[in-house]
Coordinates of all heavy atoms in Angstrom, one line a residue:
M273 N 126.4 -233.5 -52.2 CA 124.9 -233.3 -52.5 C 124.5 -231.9 -52.3 O 124.8 -231.3 -51.3 CB 124.1 -234.2 -51.5 CG 122.6 -234.3 -51.9 SD 121.8 -235.4 -50.7 CE 120.3 -235.7 -51.6
R274 N 123.9 -231.3 -53.3 CA 123.5 -229.9 -53.2 C 122.0 -229.8 -53.1 O 121.3 -230.5 -53.8 CB 124.0 -229.2 -54.5 CG 125.5 -229.0 -54.5 CD 126.0 -228.2 -55.7 NE 125.3 -226.8 -55.6 CZ 125.6 -225.9 -56.5 NH1 126.5 -226.1 -57.4 NH2 125.0 -224.7 -56.4
L275 N 121.7 -228.9 -52.2 CA 120.3 -228.6 -52.1 C 119.9 -227.5 -53.1 O 120.6 -226.5 -53.2 CB 119.9 -228.1 -50.7 CG 120.1 -229.2 -49.6 CD1 119.8 -228.5 -48.2 CD2 119.1 -230.3 -49.8
T276 N 118.8 -227.7 -53.7 CA 118.3 -226.7 -54.6 C 117.2 -225.9 -53.9 O 116.2 -226.4 -53.5 CB 117.8 -227.3 -55.9 OG1 118.8 -228.1 -56.5 CG2 117.4 -226.2 -56.9
L277 N 117.5 -224.6 -53.7 CA 116.5 -223.8 -53.0 C 115.4 -223.5 -54.0 O 115.6 -223.0 -55.1 CB 117.1 -222.5 -52.5 CG 118.1 -222.7 -51.3 CD1 118.7 -221.4 -51.0 CD2 117.3 -223.3 -50.1
A278 N 114.2 -223.7 -53.6 CA 113.1 -223.4 -54.4 C 112.9 -221.8 -54.4 O 113.3 -221.2 -53.4 CB 111.8 -224.0 -53.9
K279 N 112.5 -221.3 -55.5 CA 112.2 -219.9 -55.5 C 111.1 -219.5 -54.5 O 110.1 -220.1 -54.5 CB 111.8 -219.5 -56.9 CG 111.6 -218.0 -57.1 CD 111.1 -217.7 -58.5 CE 110.8 -216.2 -58.7 NZ 110.1 -216.0 -59.9
I280 N 111.5 -218.6 -53.7 CA 110.6 -218.2 -52.6 C 109.5 -217.3 -53.2 O 109.8 -216.2 -53.7 CB 111.3 -217.5 -51.4 CG1 112.3 -218.5 -50.8 CG2 110.3 -217.1 -50.4 CD1 113.2 -217.9 -49.8
V281 N 108.3 -217.7 -53.0 CA 107.2 -216.8 -53.5 C 106.6 -216.1 -52.3 O 106.1 -216.7 -51.4 CB 106.1 -217.7 -54.2 CG1 105.0 -216.8 -54.7 CG2 106.7 -218.4 -55.3
L282 N 106.7 -214.8 -52.3 CA 106.1 -214.1 -51.2 C 104.6 -214.0 -51.3 O 104.1 -213.8 -52.3 CB 106.7 -212.6 -51.2 CG 108.2 -212.5 -50.8 CD1 108.6 -211.1 -51.0 CD2 108.4 -212.9 -49.4
P283 N 104.0 -214.2 -50.1 CA 102.5 -214.0 -50.1 C 102.2 -212.6 -50.4 O 103.0 -211.7 -50.1 CB 102.1 -214.5 -48.8 CG 103.3 -214.3 -47.9 CD 104.5 -214.6 -48.8
Q284 N 101.0 -212.3 -50.8 CA 100.7 -210.9 -51.2 C 100.2 -210.1 -50.0 O 99.1 -209.7 -49.9 CB 99.6 -210.9 -52.3 CG 100.0 -211.7 -53.5 CD 99.3 -211.2 -54.7 OE1 98.2 -210.8 -54.7 NE2 100.0 -211.2 -55.9
V285 N 101.2 -210.0 -49.1 CA 100.9 -209.2 -47.9 C 100.7 -207.8 -48.1 O 100.0 -207.1 -47.4 CB 102.0 -209.4 -46.8 CG1 101.9 -210.8 -46.2 CG2 103.3 -209.1 -47.4
I286 N 101.3 -207.3 -49.2 CA 101.2 -205.8 -49.4 C 99.8 -205.4 -49.7 O 99.3 -204.4 -49.2 CB 102.1 -205.5 -50.6 CG1 103.6 -205.8 -50.2 CG2 102.0 -204.0 -51.0 CD1 104.6 -205.6 -51.3
Q287 N 99.0 -206.3 -50.3 CA 97.6 -205.9 -50.6 C 96.8 -205.8 -49.3 O 96.0 -205.0 -49.2 CB 97.0 -207.0 -51.5 CG 97.4 -206.8 -52.9 CD 96.5 -207.6 -53.9 OE1 95.7 -208.4 -53.4 NE2 96.7 -207.5 -55.2
S288 N 97.1 -206.7 -48.4 CA 96.4 -206.7 -47.1 C 96.8 -205.5 -46.2 O 96.2 -205.3 -45.2 CB 96.5 -208.0 -46.4 OG 97.9 -208.2 -46.0
M289 N 97.9 -204.9 -46.5 CA 98.4 -203.8 -45.7 C 97.8 -202.4 -46.2 O 98.1 -201.4 -45.6 CB 99.9 -203.7 -45.7 CG 100.5 -204.8 -44.9 SD 102.3 -204.8 -45.1 CE 102.7 -203.3 -44.2
T290 N 97.0 -202.4 -47.2 CA 96.4 -201.2 -47.6 C 95.3 -200.8 -46.5 O 94.8 -201.7 -45.8 CB 95.7 -201.3 -49.0 OG1 94.9 -202.5 -49.0 CG2 96.7 -201.5 -50.1
S291 N 95.0 -199.5 -46.4 CA 94.3 -199.0 -45.3 C 92.8 -199.2 -45.5 O 92.0 -198.4 -44.9 CB 94.6 -197.6 -45.0 OG 94.3 -196.8 -46.2
T292 N 92.3 -200.1 -46.2 CA 90.9 -200.4 -46.3 C 90.4 -201.1 -45.0 O 91.2 -201.8 -44.4 CB 90.5 -201.2 -47.5 OG1 91.4 -202.3 -47.6 CG2 90.8 -200.4 -48.8
T293 N 89.2 -200.9 -44.7 CA 88.6 -201.6 -43.5 C 88.6 -203.1 -43.7 O 88.1 -203.6 -44.7 CB 87.2 -201.1 -43.3 OG1 87.2 -199.7 -43.3 CG2 86.6 -201.6 -42.0
P294 N 89.1 -203.8 -42.7 CA 89.1 -205.3 -42.8 C 87.7 -205.8 -42.9 O 86.8 -205.2 -42.3 CB 89.8 -205.7 -41.6 CG 90.5 -204.5 -41.0 CD 89.8 -203.3 -41.5
P295 N 87.4 -206.9 -43.6 CA 86.0 -207.3 -43.7 C 85.4 -207.7 -42.4 O 84.2 -207.6 -42.1 CB 86.2 -208.6 -44.6 CG 87.6 -208.9 -44.6 CD 88.4 -207.6 -44.3
Q296 N 86.2 -208.3 -41.5 CA 85.7 -208.8 -40.2 C 86.1 -207.9 -39.1 O 86.9 -208.3 -38.2 CB 86.0 -210.2 -39.9 CG 87.3 -210.6 -40.6 CD 87.7 -212.0 -40.3 OE1 87.9 -212.3 -39.2 NE2 87.8 -212.9 -41.3
M297 N 85.6 -206.7 -39.1 CA 86.0 -205.7 -38.0 C 85.1 -205.9 -36.8 O 83.9 -205.6 -37.0 CB 85.8 -204.3 -38.6 CG 86.4 -203.2 -37.7 SD 88.1 -202.7 -38.2 CE 88.1 -201.1 -37.4
T298 N 85.6 -206.3 -35.7 CA 84.8 -206.5 -34.6 C 84.9 -205.4 -33.5 O 84.2 -205.4 -32.5 CB 85.1 -207.9 -33.9 OG1 86.5 -208.0 -33.7 CG2 84.6 -209.0 -34.8
H299 N 85.9 -204.5 -33.8 CA 86.1 -203.5 -32.8 C 85.9 -202.1 -33.4 O 85.7 -202.0 -34.6 CB 87.5 -203.6 -32.2 CG 87.7 -205.0 -31.6 ND1 87.2 -205.4 -30.4 CD2 88.4 -206.0 -32.0 CE1 87.5 -206.6 -30.1 NE2 88.3 -207.0 -31.1
C300 N 86.0 -201.1 -32.6 CA 85.6 -199.7 -33.1 C 86.5 -199.1 -34.1 O 86.1 -198.3 -34.9 CB 85.4 -198.8 -31.8 SG 86.9 -198.8 -30.8
C301 N 87.8 -199.5 -34.0 CA 88.8 -198.8 -34.9 C 89.9 -199.8 -35.2 O 90.0 -200.8 -34.5 CB 89.2 -197.5 -34.4 SG 90.1 -197.6 -32.8
Q302 N 90.8 -199.4 -36.1 CA 91.9 -200.3 -36.4 C 92.9 -200.5 -35.3 O 93.5 -201.6 -35.1 CB 92.6 -199.8 -37.7 CG 91.7 -200.0 -38.9 CD 92.5 -200.1 -40.2 OE1 93.7 -200.3 -40.1 NE2 91.9 -200.1 -41.3
S303 N 93.1 -199.5 -34.5 CA 94.0 -199.6 -33.4 C 93.5 -200.6 -32.3 O 94.2 -201.4 -31.9 CB 94.2 -198.2 -32.7 OG 94.9 -197.4 -33.6
M304 N 92.2 -200.4 -32.0 CA 91.6 -201.3 -31.1 C 91.5 -202.7 -31.6 O 91.8 -203.7 -30.9 CB 90.2 -200.9 -30.7 CG 89.5 -201.7 -29.7 SD 90.3 -201.8 -28.1 CE 89.4 -200.6 -27.2
Q305 N 91.3 -202.8 -32.9 CA 91.3 -204.1 -33.6 C 92.6 -204.8 -33.4 O 92.7 -206.0 -33.1 CB 91.0 -203.9 -35.1 CG 90.8 -205.2 -35.9 CD 89.4 -205.8 -35.7 OE1 88.5 -205.1 -35.5 NE2 89.3 -207.1 -35.8
Y306 N 93.6 -204.0 -33.6 CA 95.0 -204.6 -33.5 C 95.3 -205.0 -32.1 O 95.8 -206.1 -31.9 CB 96.0 -203.5 -34.0 CG 97.4 -203.9 -33.8 CD1 98.1 -204.8 -34.7 CD2 98.2 -203.5 -32.7 CE1 99.4 -205.2 -34.6 CE2 99.5 -203.9 -32.5 CZ 100.1 -204.7 -33.4 OH 101.4 -205.1 -33.3
F307 N 95.1 -204.2 -31.2 CA 95.5 -204.5 -29.8 C 94.6 -205.5 -29.1 O 95.0 -206.4 -28.4 CB 95.6 -203.2 -28.9 CG 96.8 -202.4 -29.3 CD1 96.6 -201.2 -29.9 CD2 98.0 -202.8 -28.9 CE1 97.8 -200.5 -30.3 CE2 99.2 -202.1 -29.2 CZ 99.0 -200.9 -29.9
A308 N 93.3 -205.4 -29.4 CA 92.3 -206.4 -28.8 C 92.6 -207.8 -29.3 O 92.3 -208.8 -28.6 CB 90.9 -205.9 -29.0
D309 N 93.0 -207.9 -30.6 CA 93.2 -209.2 -31.2 C 94.7 -209.6 -31.2 O 95.0 -210.6 -31.8 CB 92.7 -209.2 -32.6 CG 91.2 -209.3 -32.7 OD1 90.6 -209.6 -31.6 OD2 90.6 -209.0 -33.7
Y310 N 95.5 -208.8 -30.5 CA 96.9 -209.1 -30.5 C 97.2 -210.4 -29.8 O 96.8 -210.6 -28.7 CB 97.6 -207.9 -29.9 CG 99.1 -208.0 -29.9 CD1 99.8 -207.7 -31.1 CD2 99.9 -208.4 -28.8 CE1 101.2 -207.8 -31.1 CE2 101.2 -208.6 -28.8 CZ 101.9 -208.3 -30.0 OH 103.3 -208.4 -30.1
H311 N 98.0 -211.2 -30.4 CA 98.5 -212.4 -29.8 C 100.0 -212.5 -30.0 O 100.4 -212.6 -31.1 CB 97.8 -213.7 -30.4 CG 96.3 -213.7 -30.1 ND1 95.8 -213.9 -28.9 CD2 95.3 -213.6 -30.9 CE1 94.5 -213.9 -28.9 NE2 94.1 -213.7 -30.2
C312 N 100.7 -212.3 -28.9 CA 102.1 -212.3 -29.0 C 102.7 -213.8 -29.2 O 102.2 -214.7 -28.5 CB 102.7 -211.7 -27.7 SG 104.5 -211.7 -27.8
P313 N 103.5 -214.0 -30.2 CA 104.1 -215.3 -30.4 C 105.0 -215.7 -29.2 O 105.3 -216.9 -29.1 CB 104.8 -215.2 -31.7 CG 105.1 -213.7 -31.8 CD 104.0 -213.0 -31.1
D314 N 105.5 -214.8 -28.5 CA 106.5 -215.1 -27.4 C 105.9 -215.3 -26.0 O 106.5 -215.9 -25.2 CB 107.6 -213.9 -27.4 CG 108.3 -213.8 -28.7 OD1 108.5 -214.8 -29.4 OD2 108.6 -212.6 -29.0
H315 N 104.7 -214.7 -25.8 CA 104.2 -214.7 -24.5 C 102.8 -215.3 -24.6 O 101.9 -214.7 -25.1 CB 104.1 -213.3 -23.9 CG 105.4 -212.6 -23.7 ND1 105.9 -211.8 -24.7 CD2 106.3 -212.7 -22.8 CE1 107.1 -211.3 -24.3 NE2 107.4 -211.9 -23.1
A316 N 102.6 -216.5 -24.0 CA 101.3 -217.2 -24.0 C 100.4 -216.4 -23.1 O 99.2 -216.3 -23.4 CB 101.4 -218.6 -23.6
N317 N 100.9 -215.9 -22.0 CA 100.1 -215.1 -21.1 C 100.2 -213.6 -21.4 O 101.3 -213.1 -21.4 CB 100.6 -215.3 -19.6 CG 99.8 -214.6 -18.6 OD1 99.0 -213.8 -18.9 ND2 100.0 -215.0 -17.4
P318 N 99.1 -213.0 -21.8 CA 99.2 -211.6 -22.2 C 99.7 -210.7 -21.2 O 100.3 -209.6 -21.5 CB 97.7 -211.2 -22.6 CG 96.9 -212.3 -21.9 CD 97.7 -213.5 -21.9
F319 N 99.6 -211.1 -19.9 CA 100.1 -210.2 -18.8 C 101.6 -210.2 -18.7 O 102.2 -209.4 -18.1 CB 99.5 -210.6 -17.5 CG 98.0 -210.4 -17.4 CD1 97.1 -211.5 -17.7 CD2 97.4 -209.2 -17.2 CE1 95.8 -211.3 -17.6 CE2 96.1 -209.0 -17.2 CZ 95.2 -210.1 -17.4
D320 N 102.2 -211.2 -19.4 CA 103.7 -211.2 -19.4 C 104.3 -210.4 -20.5 O 105.5 -210.2 -20.6 CB 104.2 -212.7 -19.5 CG 103.9 -213.5 -18.3 OD1 103.7 -212.9 -17.2 OD2 103.8 -214.7 -18.4
C321 N 103.4 -209.9 -21.4 CA 103.9 -209.3 -22.7 C 103.8 -207.8 -22.6 O 102.8 -207.3 -22.4 CB 103.1 -209.8 -23.8 SG 103.7 -209.1 -25.4
P322 N 104.9 -207.1 -22.7 CA 104.9 -205.7 -22.7 C 104.2 -205.0 -23.9 O 103.9 -203.8 -23.8 CB 106.4 -205.3 -22.6 CG 107.1 -206.4 -23.2 CD 106.3 -207.7 -22.9
D323 N 104.0 -205.8 -24.9 CA 103.4 -205.2 -26.1 C 101.9 -205.4 -26.0 O 101.2 -204.8 -26.9 CB 103.9 -206.0 -27.4 CG 105.4 -205.7 -27.6 OD1 105.8 -204.6 -27.3 OD2 106.0 -206.7 -28.0
Q324 N 101.4 -206.1 -25.1 CA 100.0 -206.4 -25.0 C 99.3 -205.3 -24.1 O 99.6 -205.2 -22.9 CB 99.7 -207.8 -24.4 CG 98.2 -208.1 -24.3 CD 97.8 -209.0 -25.5 OE1 98.5 -209.8 -26.0 NE2 96.6 -208.7 -26.0
L325 N 98.5 -204.5 -24.7 CA 97.9 -203.4 -23.9 C 96.5 -203.6 -23.5 O 96.0 -203.1 -22.4 CB 97.9 -202.1 -24.8 CG 99.3 -201.6 -25.2 CD1 99.1 -200.3 -26.1 CD2 100.2 -201.3 -24.1
I326 N 95.8 -204.4 -24.3 CA 94.3 -204.5 -24.1 C 94.0 -206.0 -24.0 O 94.5 -206.8 -24.8 CB 93.6 -203.9 -25.3 CG1 93.9 -202.4 -25.4 CG2 92.1 -204.1 -25.2 CD1 93.2 -201.5 -24.4
V327 N 93.1 -206.3 -23.1 CA 92.5 -207.6 -23.1 C 91.0 -207.4 -23.4 O 90.4 -206.6 -22.9 CB 92.7 -208.4 -21.8 CG1 94.1 -209.0 -21.7 CG2 92.3 -207.6 -20.6
Y328 N 90.5 -208.3 -24.3 CA 89.1 -208.2 -24.7 C 88.4 -209.4 -24.2 O 88.8 -210.5 -24.5 CB 89.0 -208.0 -26.2 CG 87.6 -208.1 -26.8 CD1 86.7 -207.1 -26.4 CD2 87.2 -209.1 -27.7 CE1 85.4 -207.1 -26.8 CE2 85.9 -209.1 -28.2 CZ 85.0 -208.1 -27.7 OH 83.7 -208.1 -28.2
H329 N 87.3 -209.2 -23.5 CA 86.5 -210.3 -23.0 C 85.2 -210.4 -23.9 O 84.3 -209.6 -23.7 CB 86.2 -210.1 -21.6 CG 85.5 -211.3 -20.9 ND1 84.3 -211.2 -20.3 CD2 86.0 -212.5 -20.8 CE1 84.0 -212.4 -19.8 NE2 85.0 -213.2 -20.1
A330 N 85.2 -211.3 -24.8 CA 84.2 -211.4 -25.8 C 82.8 -211.6 -25.2 O 81.8 -211.0 -25.7 CB 84.5 -212.4 -26.9
P331 N 82.6 -212.5 -24.2 CA 81.2 -212.7 -23.8 C 80.5 -211.5 -23.2 O 79.3 -211.4 -23.4 CB 81.4 -213.8 -22.6 CG 82.7 -214.5 -23.0 CD 83.6 -213.4 -23.7
T332 N 81.3 -210.6 -22.6 CA 80.7 -209.4 -22.1 C 81.0 -208.1 -23.0 O 80.6 -207.0 -22.6 CB 81.2 -209.1 -20.7 OG1 82.6 -209.0 -20.7 CG2 80.7 -210.2 -19.7
R333 N 81.8 -208.3 -24.0 CA 82.2 -207.2 -24.9 C 82.9 -206.1 -24.0 O 82.7 -205.0 -24.3 CB 81.1 -206.7 -25.7 CG 80.5 -207.6 -26.7 CD 79.5 -207.0 -27.6 NE 79.9 -205.8 -28.3 CZ 80.6 -205.8 -29.4 NH1 81.0 -207.0 -29.9 NH2 81.0 -204.7 -30.0
S334 N 83.6 -206.5 -23.1 CA 84.3 -205.6 -22.2 C 85.8 -205.6 -22.5 O 86.4 -206.6 -22.9 CB 84.1 -205.9 -20.7 OG 84.6 -207.1 -20.4
Y335 N 86.4 -204.4 -22.3 CA 87.8 -204.2 -22.6 C 88.5 -203.8 -21.3 O 88.0 -203.1 -20.5 CB 88.0 -203.1 -23.6 CG 87.4 -203.3 -24.9 CD1 86.0 -203.1 -25.1 CD2 88.2 -203.8 -26.0 CE1 85.4 -203.3 -26.4 CE2 87.6 -204.0 -27.2 CZ 86.2 -203.8 -27.4 OH 85.7 -204.0 -28.7
G336 N 89.7 -204.4 -21.2 CA 90.5 -204.1 -20.0 C 91.9 -203.6 -20.4 O 92.5 -204.1 -21.4
L337 N 92.4 -202.6 -19.7 CA 93.7 -202.1 -19.9 C 94.6 -202.8 -19.0 O 94.4 -202.8 -17.8 CB 93.7 -200.6 -19.7 CG 94.9 -199.7 -20.1 CD1 94.9 -199.8 -21.7 CD2 94.6 -198.3 -19.7
I338 N 95.6 -203.5 -19.5 CA 96.5 -204.3 -18.7 C 97.5 -203.4 -17.9 O 98.1 -202.5 -18.4 CB 97.4 -205.2 -19.6 CG1 96.5 -206.3 -20.2 CG2 98.5 -205.9 -18.7 CD1 97.2 -207.3 -21.1
V339 N 97.5 -203.6 -16.6 CA 98.4 -202.9 -15.7 C 99.7 -203.8 -15.5 O 99.6 -204.9 -15.0 CB 97.8 -202.6 -14.3 CG1 98.8 -201.9 -13.5 CG2 96.5 -201.9 -14.5
H340 N 100.7 -203.3 -16.2 CA 102.0 -204.2 -16.1 C 102.7 -204.0 -14.8 O 103.8 -203.3 -14.8 CB 102.8 -203.8 -17.3 CG 102.3 -204.4 -18.6 ND1 102.3 -205.8 -18.9 CD2 101.8 -203.8 -19.7 CE1 101.8 -206.0 -20.1 NE2 101.4 -204.8 -20.6
D341 N 102.2 -204.5 -13.8 CA 102.8 -204.4 -12.5 C 103.3 -205.7 -12.0 O 103.7 -205.9 -10.9 CB 101.8 -203.8 -11.4 CG 100.6 -204.7 -11.3 OD1 100.5 -205.7 -12.0 OD2 99.8 -204.4 -10.4
G342 N 103.4 -206.7 -12.9 CA 103.9 -208.0 -12.6 C 102.8 -208.9 -12.2 O 103.0 -210.1 -12.1
G343 N 101.6 -208.4 -12.0 CA 100.5 -209.3 -11.6 C 99.6 -209.4 -12.8 O 100.0 -209.4 -14.0
S344 N 98.3 -209.6 -12.5 CA 97.4 -209.7 -13.6 C 96.2 -208.8 -13.4 O 95.0 -209.1 -13.5 CB 96.9 -211.2 -13.7 OG 96.3 -211.6 -12.5
S345 N 96.5 -207.5 -13.2 CA 95.5 -206.5 -13.0 C 95.1 -205.8 -14.3 O 95.9 -205.7 -15.2 CB 96.0 -205.4 -12.1 OG 96.8 -205.9 -11.0
T346 N 93.8 -205.5 -14.4 CA 93.3 -204.8 -15.6 C 92.4 -203.7 -15.1 O 91.9 -203.7 -14.0 CB 92.5 -205.6 -16.6 OG1 91.4 -206.2 -15.9 CG2 93.4 -206.7 -17.2
I347 N 92.4 -202.6 -15.8 CA 91.4 -201.5 -15.6 C 90.4 -201.6 -16.7 O 90.8 -201.5 -17.9 CB 92.1 -200.2 -15.6 CG1 93.2 -200.1 -14.5 CG2 91.1 -199.0 -15.4 CD1 94.1 -198.9 -14.5
E348 N 89.1 -201.7 -16.3 CA 88.1 -201.7 -17.4 C 88.0 -200.3 -18.0 O 88.0 -199.3 -17.3 CB 86.8 -202.1 -16.8 CG 85.7 -202.3 -17.9 CD 84.4 -202.7 -17.3 OE1 84.3 -203.2 -16.2 OE2 83.4 -202.6 -18.1
I349 N 88.0 -200.3 -19.3 CA 87.9 -199.0 -20.0 C 86.5 -198.9 -20.7 O 86.0 -199.9 -21.2 CB 89.0 -198.8 -21.0 CG1 89.1 -200.0 -22.0 CG2 90.3 -198.6 -20.3 CD1 90.1 -199.8 -23.1
R350 N 85.9 -197.8 -20.6 CA 84.6 -197.6 -21.1 C 84.6 -196.9 -22.5 O 83.7 -196.9 -23.2 CB 83.7 -196.7 -20.2 CG 83.6 -197.3 -18.8 CD 82.6 -198.4 -18.8 NE 82.6 -199.2 -17.6 CZ 82.0 -198.8 -16.5 NH1 81.3 -197.8 -16.4 NH2 82.0 -199.6 -15.4
F351 N 85.8 -196.2 -22.7 CA 85.9 -195.5 -24.0 C 87.2 -195.9 -24.7 O 88.2 -196.2 -24.0 CB 85.9 -194.0 -23.8 CG 84.7 -193.4 -23.2 CD1 84.4 -193.3 -21.9 CD2 83.6 -193.0 -24.1 CE1 83.2 -192.8 -21.4 CE2 82.4 -192.5 -23.6 CZ 82.2 -192.4 -22.2
C352 N 87.2 -196.0 -26.0 CA 88.3 -196.4 -26.7 C 89.4 -195.3 -26.5 O 89.2 -194.1 -26.8 CB 88.0 -196.6 -28.2 SG 89.5 -196.9 -29.2
P353 N 90.6 -195.7 -26.1 CA 91.7 -194.7 -26.0 C 92.2 -194.1 -27.3 O 92.8 -193.1 -27.3 CB 92.8 -195.5 -25.3 CG 92.5 -196.9 -25.4 CD 91.0 -197.0 -25.8
W354 N 91.8 -194.7 -28.4 CA 92.3 -194.2 -29.7 C 91.2 -193.4 -30.4 O 91.5 -192.3 -30.9 CB 92.7 -195.4 -30.6 CG 93.9 -196.1 -30.0 CD1 95.2 -195.6 -30.1 CD2 94.0 -197.3 -29.2 NE1 96.1 -196.5 -29.4 CE2 95.3 -197.5 -28.9 CE3 93.0 -198.1 -28.8 CZ2 95.7 -198.6 -28.1 CZ3 93.4 -199.2 -28.0 CH2 94.7 -199.5 -27.7
C355 N 90.0 -193.8 -30.4 CA 89.0 -193.1 -31.2 C 87.9 -192.5 -30.4 O 87.1 -191.8 -30.8 CB 88.4 -194.0 -32.3 SG 87.3 -195.3 -31.7
G356 N 87.8 -192.9 -29.1 CA 86.9 -192.3 -28.2 C 85.5 -192.9 -28.2 O 84.6 -192.4 -27.5
T357 N 85.3 -194.0 -29.0 CA 84.0 -194.7 -29.0 C 83.6 -195.2 -27.6 O 84.5 -195.8 -26.9 CB 84.1 -195.8 -30.0 OG1 84.3 -195.3 -31.3 CG2 82.8 -196.6 -30.0
H358 N 82.4 -195.0 -27.3 CA 81.9 -195.6 -26.1 C 81.8 -197.1 -26.2 O 81.1 -197.6 -27.1 CB 80.5 -195.0 -25.7 CG 80.0 -195.5 -24.4 ND1 78.7 -195.9 -24.2 CD2 80.6 -195.6 -23.2 CE1 78.5 -196.3 -22.9 NE2 79.6 -196.1 -22.3
L359 N 82.5 -197.8 -25.4 CA 82.5 -199.3 -25.5 C 81.4 -199.9 -24.7 O 81.2 -199.5 -23.5 CB 83.9 -199.8 -25.0 CG 85.1 -199.1 -25.7 CD1 86.3 -199.5 -24.9 CD2 85.2 -199.6 -27.1
T360 N 80.7 -200.8 -25.2 CA 79.7 -201.5 -24.5 C 80.4 -202.4 -23.5 O 81.1 -203.3 -23.9 CB 78.8 -202.3 -25.4 OG1 79.6 -203.2 -26.2 CG2 77.9 -201.4 -26.3
G361 N 80.2 -202.2 -22.2 CA 80.9 -202.9 -21.2 C 80.1 -203.9 -20.5 O 78.9 -204.3 -20.9
S362 N 80.7 -204.5 -19.4 CA 80.0 -205.6 -18.7 C 78.8 -205.1 -18.0 O 78.0 -205.9 -17.6 CB 81.0 -206.2 -17.7 OG 81.5 -205.1 -16.9
T363 N 78.6 -203.8 -17.8 CA 77.4 -203.3 -17.1 C 76.2 -203.6 -17.9 O 75.1 -203.6 -17.4 CB 77.5 -201.8 -16.9 OG1 77.9 -201.2 -18.2 CG2 78.6 -201.5 -15.9
A364 N 76.3 -203.8 -19.2 CA 75.1 -204.1 -20.1 C 74.6 -205.5 -19.9 O 73.6 -205.9 -20.3 CB 75.5 -203.9 -21.5
V365 N 75.4 -206.3 -19.1 CA 74.9 -207.7 -18.9 C 74.0 -207.7 -17.7 O 72.9 -208.2 -17.7 CB 76.1 -208.6 -18.6 CG1 75.7 -210.0 -18.3 CG2 77.1 -208.6 -19.7
Ligands
ZN423 ZN1 88.5 -197.2 -31.2
ZN424 ZN1 105.3 -210.5 -26.1

């Protein structure tokens, strides 16, 4: 019995990789957008993931820089490390 492989149709990812601003930009820049929304497929807990730099707390619109010391420490950041935008932090609550 032979399996017939269907022709693989690639999704049009190339179009979405162009450098236009994404329609639903919730952060100050694309770098922050990437890291704040980053979800690692391998680590359910962001503190376990070496690729996860930023945690974003939506209710207070605050950003924390993950301290990878084996625990779950964060440093609240007031300015974007990439573009320098002043971030509205938890003090506004
Ligand atoms: Zn930024
Ligand atoms: Zn990971």
Side-chain angles (χ1 to χ4, degrees):
M273 189 177 196
R274 290 185 57 175
L275 292 174
T276 305
L277 290 176
K279 186 184 172 191
I280 299 173
V281 181
L282 290 173
Q284 300 207 326
V285 285
I286 297 175
Q287 283 194 354
S288 64
M289 287 174 69
T290 52
S291 60
T292 50
T293 307
Q296 25 176 302
M297 190 98 160
T298 51
H299 303 289
C300 53
C301 61
Q302 291 207 10
S303 295
M304 183 62 99
Q305 185 81 29
Y306 174 81
F307 285 106
D309 286 344
Y310 184 78
H311 294 292
C312 180
D314 300 326
H315 300 93
N317 184 346
F319 296 99
D320 291 337
C321 180
D323 297 324
Q324 182 96 39
L325 300 180
I326 299 287
V327 286
Y328 174 60
H329 189 237
T332 57
R333 292 183 58 80
S334 62
Y335 297 82
L337 196 62
I338 293 179
V339 182
H340 285 291
D341 61 355
S344 57
S345 319
T346 59
I347 299 172
E348 186 181 343
I349 50 175
R350 301 284 169 81
F351 294 91
C352 174
W354 293 281
C355 73
T357 294
H358 185 226
L359 306 168
T360 51
S362 54
T363 50
V365 180

